[in-house]
Amino acid sequence: QVQLVESGGGLVQAGGSLRLSCAASGSIFRINVMGWHRQAPGKERELVAAITSGGRTNYGDSVKGRFTISRDNAKNTVYLQMNSLKPEDTAVYYCNYVPGPYWGQGTQVTVSS
């Protein structure tokens, strides 16, 4: 199995930045996909960003140009750099890993106006 631990969430003012981290441990395959989804109260869970072990990325339309996903394969860690944060970015952010899929416990991001 794979364990995912997110960190870096918190409270930030609109226009500010946060960087989320997700560290994976366990039976990690060399070829995999890691990424982030988010879910706000009363809304559907949506893709934020994903990255393959080869470095190919995909972003949700609402975060393109503001968020950047990256990874350190040696550390089995994926990062989400979030810039120009907006109140509508407020959500619980969940790390995921494929194959599995596996999910982290989530980390709260709150953007105040």
Side-chain angles (χ1 to χ4, degrees):
Q1 64 177 4
V2 174
Q3 296 79 42
L4 303 171
V5 180
E6 302 105 328
S7 62
L11 175 64
V12 66
Q13 294 184 1
S17 298
L18 285 173
R19 190 176 80 154
L20 306 183
S21 298
C22 174
S25 62
S27 300
I28 307 300
F29 286 86
R30 183 175 60 85
I31 300 174
N32 58 66
V33 180
M34 296 182 68
W36 297 89
H37 287 69
R38 68 186 184 187
Q39 188 165 24
K43 295 185 178 181
E44 298 178 354
R45 185 178 63 177
E46 65 175 348
L47 170 71
V48 177
I51 184 167
T52 71
S53 50
R56 303 186 71 87
T57 60
N58 188 38
Y59 293 92
D61 188 63
S62 64
V63 307
K64 289 179 179 177
R66 299 189 297 121
F67 292 9
T68 303
I69 190 169
S70 62
R71 63 187 293 163
D72 184 337
N73 289 338
K75 298 180 179 179
N76 292 322
T77 299
V78 64
Y79 305 95
L80 184 68
Q81 179 66 45
M82 304 185 293
N83 298 326
S84 302
L85 282 162
K86 305 174 181 179
E88 51 262 47
D89 294 318
T90 296
V92 177
Y93 286 69
Y94 297 93
C95 180
N96 74 292
Y97 165 92
V98 178
Y102 293 93
W103 295 88
Q105 81 288 348
T107 185
Q108 177 71 47
V109 172
T110 302
V111 184
S112 65
S113 60

